[in-house]
Amino acid sequence: MINKQSPLPIYFQLEEGIKKQIENGELNSGDMLPSEREYSERFSISRMTVRQAISNLVNEGYLERQRGKGTFIAQKKLEQNLKGLTSFTEDMKSRGMNPETIMIHFTKVQAIPSIAEKLELSIGAPIYEIKRIRLADGLPMAYECLYMSCDLIPALTMDIAKGSIYDYVEKKAGLEIGKGVQEIEAAIARKKEAEILEIKEGSPILCIQRKTYLRDQRVLELVYSFYRADRYRFFVEMDR
Ligand code: 16G
């Protein structure tokens, strides 16, 4: 795992080695990580170096510290492929997980200029403002704030929005979803997001803005989502 002749820093080699063991199943979620002392003796490296590797892996969400007990392998992050436009419900079901929604807020408001512009509506047009916590197998994964034209989906209700909105749009409202444009940024959780996502204030989160279009080019939704960085990883395959 450690090559002292390598130009790569020792803490980095240890980190990569532990990650590999997690990926190939030598270390499984819930397993206790060997102690700092064990690593330091096994590889004849300083405990400071081991500590640095472990701290980085905790920050990246691979390991979890439990007070008074030790350091454990964390739950594997959910990977979401960015190719293809899918809904939260579809994503969770395809993994065999049970999607649930906690509705925080469902109202009709008049679009303020910045939202109207993104939804390509006139200022003051009636829009839904929907805030939902999305859970998978009972664990909060994301917090979403969604804006959508009321004229486009006049019969949307709070009950419908507790289920899959995409499902309703396609199967009940008879509209065809065309494409999405998504931006992803790193941030740290402020008090409100931290409470909702059940993480400490200041923990890393992924902020996503998605604008989804119908096949006829009208804007279906504008959604700001906050994902737990320790539970989620986005990936994309690129051709050249
Ligand atoms: C995903 C979308 C969100 C969409 C929702 C519909 C991202 C970042 N966001 O969460 O834009 O509104 O799916 O899910 O992926 P639903 O059909 O389960 O309501």
Side-chain angles (χ1 to χ4, degrees):
M1 198 187 271
I2 305 291
N3 172 3
K4 289 195 175 154
Q5 310 314 318
S6 161
L8 296 171
I10 306 277
Y11 74 85
F12 179 77
Q13 293 185 44
L14 182 58
E15 246 180 271
E16 291 302 304
I18 296 174
K19 276 190 204 167
K20 209 176 249 165
Q21 286 185 316
I22 296 174
E23 270 148 32
N24 65 24
E26 272 172 71
L27 289 171
N28 290 300
S29 65
D31 286 354
M32 186 151 133
L33 192 76
S35 67
E36 273 177 25
R37 190 170 49 83
E38 275 176 75
Y39 279 120
S40 117
E41 284 172 6
R42 196 188 308 165
F43 300 117
S44 310
I45 55 179
S46 80
R47 283 179 70 154
M48 277 270 287
T49 304
V50 179
R51 201 164 304 149
Q52 176 158 16
I54 293 177
S55 288
N56 290 350
L57 290 169
V58 169
N59 291 337
E60 288 173 51
Y62 287 94
L63 302 178
E64 234 169 40
R65 282 201 180 100
Q66 289 184 19
R67 237 198 230 156
K69 290 190 184 160
T71 306
F72 295 81
I73 315 302
Q75 288 280 350
K76 265 212 174 120
K77 289 190 187 189
L78 293 186
E79 288 207 334
Q80 189 180 334
N81 193 340
L82 290 174
K83 207 166 165 187
L85 181 65
T86 52
S87 72
F88 184 83
T89 303
E90 288 166 341
D91 286 341
M92 294 310 129
K93 284 191 174 161
S94 70
R95 297 186 172 97
M97 299 177 96
N98 178 35
E100 280 174 293
T101 298
I102 298 175
M103 185 63 69
I104 302 270
H105 173 97
F106 180 101
T107 42
K108 287 184 188 176
V109 295
Q110 292 186 322
I112 57 167
S114 58
I115 304 283
E117 193 192 331
K118 289 189 168 127
L119 287 177
E120 298 170 22
L121 298 171
S122 44
I123 297 167
I127 57 167
Y128 299 105
E129 184 181 75
I130 303 170
K131 299 189 177 172
R132 306 186 288 173
I133 305 176
R134 314 304 305 266
L135 303 104
D137 287 349
L139 291 175
M141 293 288 158
Y143 172 48
E144 296 179 340
C145 307
L146 179 148
Y147 300 94
M148 187 181 268
S149 159
C150 296
D151 293 337
L152 205 58
I153 324 268
L156 188 69
T157 61
M158 175 140 74
D159 264 358
I160 294 169
K162 272 192 193 154
S164 169
I165 292 184
Y166 279 15
D167 199 57
Y168 178 79
V169 167
E170 293 183 315
K171 299 203 179 118
K172 300 277 166 35
L175 298 169
E176 259 189 287
I177 299 177
K179 67 165 188 185
V181 178
Q182 196 159 295
E183 290 168 20
I184 305 178
E185 266 180 289
I188 53 171
R190 292 166 299 179
K191 193 163 189 277
K192 180 159 190 207
E193 292 116 30
E195 269 170 25
I196 287 177
L197 295 172
E198 298 176 11
I199 47 181
K200 281 201 204 109
E201 209 178 322
S203 306
I205 52 172
L206 298 161
C207 300
I208 302 173
Q209 180 193 298
R210 183 188 284 189
K211 190 168 161 180
T212 309
Y213 296 82
L214 295 174
R215 210 166 282 289
D216 63 15
Q217 308 303 326
R218 282 180 295 169
V219 179
L220 171 68
E221 61 166 9
L222 170 69
V223 187
Y224 297 98
S225 313
F226 306 94
Y227 279 75
R228 286 184 55 148
D230 61 338
R231 297 218 170 124
Y232 246 87
R233 188 211 318 265
F234 292 90
F235 79 95
V236 67
E237 198 180 292
M238 287 168 285
D239 290 327
R240 182 169 158 93

